[in-house]
Amino acid sequence: MALFWCTEALPLAVTALFPVVLFPMMGIMDSTAACSQYLKDTNMLFIGGMLVAISVEKWNLHKRIALRVLLIVGVKPALLLLGFMIVTAFLSMWITNTATTAMMIPIAQAVIEQLYSSEEKVDELVVDRADKSECQPNGNAKQLSATVLEIDLENDKLNKDKQARRLKKHLKLCKGMSLCVCYSASIGGIATLTGTTPNLVMKGQMDELFPGNNNIINFASWFGFSFPTMVLLLALSWIWLQFLFLGTKFKKNFGCGRKPEQKEKEKRAYQVIVSEHKQLGSMSFAEICVLVMFTLLVLLWFLRDPGFMPGWATISFNKGGKEYVTDATVAIFIALMMFIFPSELPSSTFNLGKNGRIRPPPPLLDWKTVNEKMPWNIVFLLGGGFALAKGSEESGLSTWLGDKLTPLQSIPPVAIALLLCLMVATFTECTSNVATTTLFLPILASMAKVIHLNPLYIMLPCTLSASLAFMLPVATPPNAIAFSYGQLKVVDMARSGFFLNIIGVLVITLAINSWGFYMFDLGTFPTWANSTGKP
């Protein structure tokens, strides 16, 4: 399965079905046990989160949020870059990284093109004024003709040089904007449990391999650790991309000491965002409903079991110390509401259909839309990963692998985490990030048990490192979308992505050894991680 996932000889989801056939035939697990791995609590959390994300996309709520933030930030070069990064990262926390990038890249390109065309118009206006001032009649016709010819030749040369510089600057800004969007989509996905699929793989593997972990990984605990990590990584990425594509003249990048023509150029680009926002019109009833549902979902996730105080699920749905409600329950509940709530404000007038019957207003979400946009292959991919982890445990493969990694016990835990993060970040450049986490996490869990290291200390940072796919267009769909617009070369992405990978690994290592260390009590080997049940 590892070989097929790495080479993609078959579609990833098809490879994920191998355990259903092979495990029963090899005597590892019976068919019922193998099949039950394919629709676990984590799969339902993914489905529920995706249903809500699809409804947000359907009613263009994500686009409204994006344009509103860009109107606030403005179009000064450095702030424009930051604005697109913040918006993209925020949206990718809730909807898929691919959908976020596909929406944001065209908006970014439209703004950049407007900046370029405005600069051309401003320059033409300046040249025309200069020509008129220098061609005032002050001599005979021959002298005037010679002066005009000399000015034209000089202006042609200057215009060509200026146009070449302007085109080079424009291309550089296009590259920076495309990379900032695709990188922010990957970075933003690490902040929430449902932000990207590797996070859900981590949650599922923890529950599968350590069933007594007391739900240590949930939406609130993941957010508490990963959100600060994401913010720090996003800020450093912004500084790096600004240095790489805007230069070191930070005052100029922030619009300090702008010339009148520069203000005119930015004003025209700002109008592009304004017109895009106006096209959306005022918020519809459906958009308001989706926004309320989405906000309710996030609040219910946070307050279900926040950790520092009893949550609503702990108080109301806890019997004998067993939690009956999980994050998946909340996600499916809100998703069901999307199918029930109408998309139009009910009124006293009735709409009649072709058959004369009263036509009810359509719901916020319908199954046809879900079928078109739901990535069902990920559900099978998650299930195949859980089945593979369970089969490794049942067959004794996990224990064998763990024993082989015993020599690592002599290495400091900080070095182990750093080396493993670098390895996963390198591996994910060539392989699907879901496949990477699916393959590595069971092995890392076994290793942690053998060397008596808290499994979260290596599983959590390695999961985040699987999202650091910045170097190659094939590494992740957001990179491929940005690359498809034509301004980028592989060397551009590799050069900026290599250093960003190093920054990402260092930030994640810092996070797991600082606030993450105390959040999850990583200095002790927990009882739930001990296969013998001993502390």
Side-chain angles (χ1 to χ4, degrees):
M1 286 178 71
L3 182 64
F4 273 55
W5 271 333
C6 292
T7 59
E8 294 193 45
L10 289 174
L12 299 179
V14 176
T15 302
L17 296 173
F18 279 11
V20 177
V21 179
L22 298 180
F23 282 1
M25 293 174 63
M26 294 176 173
I28 297 169
M29 295 166 63
D30 61 68
S31 182
T32 303
C35 292
S36 65
Q37 305 298 315
Y38 283 80
L39 207 58
K40 302 177 77 67
D41 181 79
T42 307
N43 298 75
M44 296 308 294
L45 175 59
F46 170 77
I47 292 171
M50 279 302 306
L51 288 172
V52 175
I54 288 168
S55 63
V56 170
E57 286 183 59
K58 179 183 177 183
W59 298 105
N60 266 340
L61 182 61
H62 60 323
K63 189 173 184 179
R64 185 180 295 278
I65 294 169
L67 292 173
R68 174 61 66 182
V69 173
L70 291 175
L71 286 174
I72 296 170
V73 172
V75 291
K76 297 178 183 66
L79 294 179
L80 185 65
L81 207 67
L82 180 62
F84 271 97
M85 291 184 79
I86 290 173
V87 170
T88 307
F90 174 76
L91 292 176
S92 66
M93 289 165 59
W94 315 104
I95 64 177
T96 63
N97 303 344
T98 307
T100 304
T101 308
M103 183 199 73
M104 292 301 297
I105 286 279
I107 298 174
Q109 293 293 326
V111 173
I112 296 299
E113 287 299 327
Q114 185 58 48
L115 278 170
Y116 180 66
S117 61
S118 299
E119 192 168 357
E120 277 188 323
K121 289 176 183 176
V122 168
D123 286 344
E124 287 172 7
L125 186 63
V126 170
V127 170
D128 287 343
R129 287 173 181 169
D131 288 348
K132 288 176 182 177
S133 65
E134 292 185 34
C135 293
Q136 297 298 329
N138 56 357
N140 57 40
K142 288 183 178 180
Q143 289 177 333
L144 183 61
S145 178
T147 304
V148 170
L149 182 60
E150 186 179 341
I151 290 171
D152 285 343
L153 290 172
E154 189 177 344
N155 282 342
D156 284 343
K157 186 179 179 182
L158 288 172
N159 285 340
K160 285 179 181 178
D161 292 342
K162 188 178 283 187
Q163 190 173 6
R165 288 197 304 270
R166 187 169 57 236
L167 188 61
K168 185 179 179 181
K169 180 183 172 185
H170 170 68
L171 184 60
K172 209 170 185 182
L173 191 56
C174 281
K175 290 178 180 180
M177 195 62 72
S178 297
L179 288 175
C180 90
V181 170
C182 67
Y183 288 170
S184 301
S186 296
I187 293 169
I190 71 176
T192 59
L193 189 58
T194 55
T196 187
T197 315
N199 304 353
L200 290 168
V201 172
M202 159 71 183
K203 164 70 174 169
Q205 297 284 23
M206 278 292 296
D207 293 342
E208 182 65 40
L209 299 170
F210 307 106
N213 68 66
N214 301 320
N215 198 29
I216 192 169
I217 294 294
N218 55 39
F219 190 89
S221 64
W222 183 281
F223 188 86
F225 170 73
S226 298
F227 182 74
T229 310
M230 183 272 286
V231 171
L232 181 57
L233 181 53
L234 195 70
L236 293 174
S237 304
W238 172 59
I239 294 170
W240 168 239
L241 290 174
Q242 188 184 165
F243 170 77
L244 205 60
F245 295 101
L246 296 181
T248 54
K249 296 179 181 178
F250 295 109
K251 283 187 177 181
K252 185 179 178 182
N253 295 341
F254 281 93
C256 299
R258 290 175 298 163
K259 296 179 180 179
E261 55 265 25
Q262 183 70 19
K263 291 181 180 179
E264 179 65 26
K265 181 180 71 170
E266 291 176 359
K267 186 178 178 182
R268 288 175 181 271
Y270 188 77
Q271 288 303 316
V272 173
I273 304 175
V274 172
S275 62
E276 286 272 347
H277 189 262
K278 280 184 178 179
Q279 287 178 10
L280 295 175
S282 57
M283 282 191 78
S284 64
F285 176 75
E287 283 182 89
I288 294 170
C289 286
V290 171
L291 180 60
V292 170
M293 292 283 188
F294 174 74
T295 307
L296 181 61
L297 171 66
V298 176
L299 288 174
L300 288 174
W301 266 340
F302 272 115
L303 300 176
R304 184 186 68 81
D305 186 15
F308 58 88
M309 68 175 189
W312 59 266
T314 312
I315 296 170
S316 306
F317 302 97
N318 194 322
K319 295 181 181 179
K322 182 180 179 182
E323 290 188 4
Y324 279 73
V325 172
T326 66
D327 289 335
T329 314
V330 176
I332 294 297
F333 168 70
I334 297 296
L336 288 173
M337 292 300 101
M338 295 288 186
F339 286 97
I340 296 172
F341 270 72
S343 60
E344 298 171 8
L345 187 65
S347 62
S348 55
T349 58
F350 298 107
N351 294 323
L352 297 179
K354 293 181 180 178
N355 54 7
R357 294 181 181 179
I358 297 174
R359 183 185 68 83
L364 293 171
L365 192 60
D366 58 87
W367 195 250
K368 182 181 178 183
T369 306
V370 172
N371 264 336
E372 290 173 357
K373 296 190 174 183
M374 174 67 80
W376 296 109
N377 59 320
I378 301 296
V379 178
F380 293 113
L381 190 55
L382 283 170
F386 301 151
L388 189 62
K390 187 68 175 177
S392 299
E393 185 183 8
E394 292 287 330
S395 66
L397 177 62
S398 296
T399 306
W400 180 82
L401 285 171
D403 290 337
K404 295 296 179 184
L405 295 169
T406 307
L408 288 173
Q409 198 163 10
S410 58
I411 301 175
V414 177
I416 293 175
L418 180 62
L419 289 172
L420 289 173
C421 286
L422 284 170
M423 181 179 67
V424 170
T426 305
F427 198 78
T428 198
E429 293 290 350
C430 309
T431 316
S432 159
N433 53 9
V434 184
T436 302
T437 46
T438 301
L439 292 171
F440 277 100
L441 290 182
I443 299 172
L444 298 179
S446 302
M447 182 194 76
K449 285 166 67 175
V450 171
I451 65 176
H452 276 66
L453 183 65
N454 192 314
L456 280 176
Y457 188 76
I458 50 177
M459 292 176 73
L460 196 52
C462 285
T463 300
L464 298 189
S465 297
S467 294
L468 304 180
F470 300 136
M471 286 182 62
L472 298 174
V474 296
T476 186
N479 290 10
I481 292 171
F483 192 78
S484 68
Y485 275 77
Q487 299 101 346
L488 288 167
K489 296 178 180 177
V490 176
V491 68
D492 296 320
M493 193 171 281
R495 183 183 57 171
S496 56
F498 175 76
F499 191 69
L500 206 52
N501 272 359
I502 302 298
I503 293 174
V505 169
L506 293 176
V507 167
I508 291 168
T509 306
L510 171 67
I512 201 67
N513 287 289
S514 51
W515 60 87
F517 196 86
Y518 297 102
M519 274 186 65
F520 300 108
D521 192 20
L522 299 178
T524 59
F525 185 67
T527 305
W528 50 260
N530 197 328
S531 58
T532 61
K534 297 176 183 179

